[in-house]
Amino acid sequence: MEELIEKVNILKEELDKDTNIIKIKNLNKLIKEDKELLDLISKYKITRSEEIKSKIVSNELYLEYKHYENEVNFIILKIRSELKNITNKENGCVKR
């Protein structure tokens, strides 16, 4: 068990160094500071207006965030694949 904890800590350290992770964390902070974008997102959640949606998706900060979100999702898929190989189970390390 101690070995597993050590490996998880190493993985966390590596993820913290990953440029995609660093970038998305920084973008997340910037988005939280962008009151205009946050207002648009809040309004869209209520109205589902296509006009508001187009304003959101045309926002450069939002577009960049979505790009890095995809990159992080690829990292997650890679980790899941590795876990599947390690555990020799189809559903990763969690029984379903």
Side-chain angles (χ1 to χ4, degrees), residues 15 18-21 23-25 27 31 57 61-79:
L15 289 174
D18 186 280
T19 55
N20 294 313
I21 303 288
K23 189 67 177 173
I24 201 166
K25 284 180 177 181
L27 288 167
I31 287 174
V57 296
L61 192 57
Y62 179 82
L63 288 173
E64 189 176 6
Y65 180 87
K66 293 308 270 181
H67 166 76
Y68 284 100
E69 181 181 54
N70 285 333
E71 296 299 318
V72 169
N73 284 331
F74 288 130
I75 293 170
I76 291 168
L77 288 173
K78 185 176 177 184
I79 291 169

Side-chain angles (χ1 to χ4, degrees), residues 8-46:
V8 169
N9 286 333
I10 291 169
L11 175 61
K12 287 163 66 173
E13 288 174 11
E14 290 299 316
L15 289 174
D16 284 342
K17 295 176 191 173
D18 186 280
T19 55
N20 294 313
I21 303 288
I22 293 168
K23 189 67 177 173
I24 201 166
K25 284 180 177 181
N26 289 334
L27 288 167
N28 191 33
K29 288 177 187 175
L30 293 174
I31 287 174
K32 287 179 179 179
E33 294 170 359
D34 187 333
K35 297 299 178 192
E36 183 180 338
L37 179 58
L38 291 177
D39 286 344
L40 285 172
I41 293 170
S42 293
K43 287 178 186 175
Y44 178 74
K45 286 180 179 178
I46 295 168

Side-chain angles (χ1 to χ4, degrees), residues 78-89 92:
K78 185 176 177 184
I79 291 169
R80 284 184 170 180
S81 174
E82 289 298 320
L83 285 173
K84 181 180 170 186
N85 289 336
I86 291 169
T87 61
N88 293 321
K89 295 182 182 176

